[in-house]
Amino acid sequence: MNHPLRGLPSVNAIVECPELAGLATTFAHARIVESVRAELDAIRAGAASGNGVPTAVEIASRVAGRLQAEDLPHLRQVINATGIVLHTNLGRAPMAEPAARAAYDAARAYLNLELDLTTGKRSSRQDVLRRYLTTLTGAESATAVNNCAAATVLTLRALAAGREVIVSRGQLIEIGGSFRIPEIMGVSGAALREVGTTNITRARDYEQAIGPQTAALMRIHTSNYRVTGFTESASLEELIALGKKHGLPVIDDVGSGALFDDGSIGFGDEPLIRASIQAGADLVLFSGDKLLGGPQAGLIVGRADLVHRLERDPLMRAFRLDKMTLAALEATLRLYRNEDRIAQEIPILRMLTIPLLELRKRAESLARRLGEIKGLVTSVREELAYVGGGSMPERELRSAVVTVSCQQMGDELLAERLRLGRPALLGRVQDGQLLLDVRTLFPDQNDAVVEALRRAVET
Ligand SMILES: *Cc1c(COP(=O)(O)O)cnc(C)c1O
């Protein structure tokens, strides 16, 4: 009797099959050999229970399949049909084309990051953005760090470590991802001096708390919630007057804020950075990847002497921007030179301003195409989309969605299959239906959406 394992191909014979030979540039030889050995061990174990012996090509293609499956990159493109424009879990603001290109160019070659090409001398990377930010906000100086959380820590540490910063109890925010003002204060070494109550804080509450220990007054924009009803809070102007009277800097953490507001975007009550500076705020802090629509960054604008102090702090080195982000941020800020074109050039501002009628047209055309897929039933209706990213919580964005239901499977399974696709497609599941909000789709993604649904239904 022939032993069934007699026909088992050798490791070498398997590795030399074209299925695996083609992977030789991707994987180390040792890793391929190890995977083949593991597969052979599994076959030997299976043979004991009567399984047949596969050929070298069969084994090679099995091993190749497994190696490739294990090797898929973790980060992949997601088509955002959730209707949430600044979706933190999906990377917040997709960048404008020139910004993405600038990051790419910065990544793959040398650049004058810290070199003044006119003098040939060393320069500071912090100088790159100063000109744009001072022009756009009217501030004396500006600098940038990794995100607005870092901007807050750096500012508090440089201006107030070992002393007190006065904040209203109505503004002790949590942004999510464990950014809580009291904890951020703790990290910075500044002591939080809370004043007022949740709903009411008056200027005199701040004034009564001012003492020899006070280093600064801070206003924090309640980005992701509103206190409504019987409420009162000290205005920025009142805080600035108090700061002047007592010789204390006023820090204004606006979170997202807006670089301009001519009414065309509908920024609602997002603070205008330029207005804070004009009112006399000493430092204003805001994010690069919220309504600004750029890369993740924390921007700090205000008094030159204070910005200088922040830049000399050792934490600056830990929080500074890398070359790709800096390049993308410069390219984004350059787009702001022309306010009239901003709503076309910056993707998230484009998404926020698409007219409902156009959204309906897009949804109807997408619904028609999806309806041609066997087993799918689609329709179009109006729903609310959201700005997201902890910005403008009360802003209701009327939007158009394609509702999709599938005869072969429930909405949860369909949503899961779409989520696991490449690219992944994310919608909202609501009342037994999958909703695809077209506001957050790029117009050139329709083919990919149709393809994703076809694959999800057919596999
Ligand atoms: C979002 C936000 C932050 C944190 O900004 P990141 O750039 O996400 O670190 C800080 N403060 C306020 C008021 C915010 O809205």
Side-chain angles (χ1 to χ4, degrees):
M1 270 249 314
N2 248 348
H3 192 276
L5 287 173
R6 284 273 290 281
L8 201 59
S10 72
V11 171
N12 264 346
I14 299 167
V15 170
E16 277 160 19
C17 288
E19 287 77 3
L20 278 176
L23 294 182
T25 51
T26 311
F27 299 104
H29 182 70
R31 169 125 184 243
I32 296 177
V33 169
E34 189 191 329
S35 304
V36 169
R37 290 221 165 96
E39 184 65 27
L40 287 173
D41 286 346
I43 292 166
R44 284 191 197 97
S49 41
N51 294 349
V53 168
T55 65
V57 171
E58 283 166 345
I59 300 173
S61 95
R62 233 186 270 173
V63 171
R66 193 160 44 239
L67 277 170
Q68 278 166 325
E70 287 167 1
D71 184 54
L72 287 173
H74 175 77
L75 290 177
R76 64 178 103 159
Q77 206 191 88
V78 174
I79 299 173
N80 178 9
T82 64
I84 301 168
V85 178
L86 288 173
H87 200 306
T88 299
N89 298 356
L90 301 184
R92 282 203 190 149
M95 281 190 266
E97 215 37 57
R101 256 198 319 268
Y104 174 83
D105 290 340
R108 63 195 300 273
Y110 295 107
L111 75 168
N112 57 334
L113 183 64
E114 294 187 345
L115 185 74
D116 182 336
L117 292 174
T118 15
T119 62
K121 296 216 162 65
R122 204 191 150 172
S123 67
S124 161
R125 71 176 71 196
Q126 300 303 334
D127 294 337
V128 176
L129 303 173
R130 229 185 296 276
R131 181 164 51 98
Y132 300 103
L133 286 169
T134 52
T135 309
L136 287 166
T137 66
E140 219 172 52
S141 187
T143 195
V145 289
N146 188 45
N147 53 21
C148 195
T152 312
V153 174
L154 177 66
T155 301
L156 292 171
R157 182 184 140 104
L159 305 188
R163 297 171 68 204
E164 284 179 3
V165 176
I166 306 178
V167 183
S168 160
R169 287 198 169 88
Q171 298 174 357
L172 296 176
I173 59 165
E174 168 167 335
I175 296 296
S178 73
F179 176 90
R180 294 176 153 197
I181 287 294
E183 284 156 27
I184 289 290
M185 287 265 182
V187 179
S188 74
L192 170 64
R193 180 71 190 268
E194 303 172 28
V195 294
T197 61
T198 307
N199 56 328
I200 298 207
T201 306
R202 301 188 179 89
R204 68 165 177 277
D205 294 320
Y206 289 85
E207 183 149 37
Q208 279 161 6
I210 293 175
Q213 276 306 299
T214 311
L217 309 177
M218 187 168 182
R219 179 180 84 149
I220 300 152
H221 181 55
T222 56
S223 301
N224 50 5
Y225 68 98
R226 292 289 179 268
V227 181
T228 57
F230 183 53
T231 67
E232 200 177 324
S233 57
S235 68
L236 182 64
E237 287 73 15
E238 287 177 298
L239 289 191
I240 288 162
L242 263 184
K244 290 226 153 55
K245 182 171 161 195
H246 296 273
L248 294 169
V250 174
I251 303 161
D252 193 16
D253 174 8
V254 301
S256 172
L259 274 184
F260 76 102
D261 193 1
D262 58 5
S264 62
I265 312 277
F267 283 120
D269 54 4
E270 278 301 324
L272 200 58
I273 319 287
R274 177 177 279 282
S276 280
I277 291 293
Q278 210 153 34
D282 296 281
L283 288 179
V284 184
L285 321 179
F286 56 105
S287 282
D289 57 353
K290 290 186 180 172
L291 292 169
L292 182 71
Q296 180 188 304
L299 306 175
I300 305 170
V301 300
R303 262 168 56 190
D305 61 323
L306 299 183
V307 169
H308 190 60
R309 259 167 80 184
L310 304 196
E311 289 183 344
R312 271 186 333 210
D313 192 282
L315 268 189
M316 186 67 189
R317 170 61 197 251
F319 289 164
R320 72 183 185 183
L321 291 177
D322 76 290
K323 59 185 176 183
M324 291 173 285
T325 306
L326 206 48
L329 200 48
E330 177 180 34
T332 306
L333 292 174
R334 285 173 68 77
L335 295 173
Y336 275 87
R337 286 173 304 177
N338 186 353
E339 286 181 8
D340 307 333
R341 298 266 323 142
I342 274 301
Q344 280 82 59
E345 300 289 343
I346 304 261
I348 58 139
L349 300 185
R350 199 162 59 218
M351 288 174 187
L352 288 173
T353 51
I354 313 171
L356 187 58
L357 193 67
E358 190 184 329
L359 292 172
R360 274 207 86 96
K361 276 195 209 140
R362 282 194 202 169
E364 270 152 21
S365 135
L366 183 60
R368 232 182 346 265
R369 291 185 63 190
L370 293 176
E372 287 164 9
I373 298 173
K374 212 165 126 266
L376 287 191
V377 179
T378 63
S379 68
V380 170
R381 71 163 191 254
E382 225 179 86
E383 276 281 337
L384 288 181
Y386 300 91
V387 179
S391 305
M392 301 199 278
E394 289 176 315
R395 170 86 186 273
E396 289 190 339
L397 285 172
R398 282 165 67 201
S399 193
V401 299
V402 179
T403 70
V404 183
S405 41
C406 179
Q407 284 155 357
Q408 297 96 307
M409 70 191 95
D411 52 309
E412 295 286 352
L413 180 58
L414 181 60
E416 179 184 298
R417 287 195 176 177
L418 292 169
R419 207 172 59 234
L420 294 175
R422 287 177 187 268
L425 170 60
L426 250 67
R428 302 204 300 270
V429 170
Q430 201 172 299
D431 311 324
Q433 275 179 322
L434 176 70
L435 306 187
L436 302 176
D437 192 318
V438 295
R439 186 182 283 277
T440 44
L441 290 180
F442 289 82
D444 65 1
Q445 285 181 324
N446 278 0
D447 289 348
V449 172
V450 173
E451 203 38 50
L453 272 136
R454 198 186 303 283
R455 272 196 310 265
V457 172
E458 284 170 6
T459 48

